[in-house]
Amino acid sequence: MDMQGSRQLAVTQQQAWDALNDPAVLKACIPGCDKVEATGENQYAIAMALKIGPVSAKFTGKISLTDINPPARYRLLFDGQGGVAGFGKGSAEVTLTPNDDGCELSYTVHASVGGKVAQLGQRLIDGAAKSMAEDFFKRFDEEMQRQHPDSYAAKMVMGEIETGTPPIAAPATAAIPLWVWVVGAAVLAVAVWLGS
């Protein structure tokens, strides 16, 4: 399963990079996330509750960051287990590109799922993955507005964004640091557990 997208953020590339590598921010932004903690250099353990159609399960997993080029990009490798519900594994490329409006976060996710989750059908899994990714980015954007109100206030004065309105997603390539990265983040990470 493949998924890609991008998001315009009103914060700087460095501010976005720092947030995407902050376990507390990721935990708050990843839907159903119970835990994001460092287990080694560029390695993290994650736990989250997930519901896709009739299947609900707690997933635990590992995330490793490679090809790190701060504050511009990295690659995220993930492997998650949900017991009898199934598993998800794959990789995500995350890129932060500075621009006149702040920076653009882009992601590309390649993943596979197995077990009961895989039996639900591609359309249901794709829909759930996209919904989780949108939820992650909405939460991440709200967190950036909270942490950096001056950046968003400047954009609102210029009439470029409205408070509480998430940026519009558009196909592209990139993702999230710690996992959101992302992904997703967070990419990252959200799509990871769904296999997207």
Side-chain angles (χ1 to χ4, degrees):
M1 174 181 302
D2 297 332
M3 188 169 84
Q4 56 184 323
S6 66
R7 202 67 151 198
Q8 178 63 44
L9 301 171
V11 295
T12 67
Q13 181 187 42
Q14 186 64 53
Q15 289 169 332
W17 178 267
D18 292 344
L20 289 173
N21 285 285
D22 182 340
V25 170
L26 294 177
K27 182 180 175 190
C29 296
I30 297 168
C33 186
D34 298 322
K35 173 180 86 169
V36 176
E37 59 185 39
T39 58
E41 185 173 351
N42 300 318
Q43 296 181 1
Y44 303 87
I46 187 165
M48 65 184 294
L50 179 64
K51 180 169 175 35
I52 305 174
V55 178
S56 295
K58 291 231 178 222
F59 282 77
T60 57
K62 301 175 196 172
I63 297 168
S64 300
L65 302 180
T66 64
D67 303 330
I68 302 168
N69 181 13
R73 65 174 301 278
Y74 61 76
R75 183 171 190 229
L76 170 76
L77 305 174
F78 55 86
D79 184 0
Q81 299 291 325
V84 296
F87 66 89
K89 61 183 179 176
S91 65
E93 301 285 334
V94 178
T95 304
L96 292 169
T97 306
N99 57 38
D100 291 342
D101 296 322
C103 75
E104 180 180 51
L105 183 153
S106 303
Y107 63 92
T108 300
V109 179
H110 305 286
S112 60
V113 294
K116 286 184 180 179
V117 172
Q119 297 171 3
L120 294 174
Q122 197 66 40
R123 286 196 320 193
L124 183 59
I125 292 172
D126 286 349
K130 287 177 183 170
S131 175
M132 286 183 70
E134 282 301 311
D135 194 12
F136 170 82
F137 283 114
K138 179 181 178 193
R139 292 176 184 205
F140 187 75
D141 192 52
E142 289 170 353
E143 179 64 17
M144 292 299 88
Q145 288 181 43
R146 187 187 68 74
Q147 287 187 16
H148 307 285
D150 293 344
S151 296
Y152 283 81
K155 297 296 178 198
M156 285 187 296
V157 167
M158 298 169 68
E160 296 175 11
I161 63 172
E162 296 178 23
T163 305
T165 302
I168 297 172
T173 48
I176 318 167
L178 194 208
W179 169 40
V180 70
W181 337 213
V182 100
V183 39
V187 294
L188 35 301
V190 171
V192 166
W193 302 114
L194 294 175
S196 57

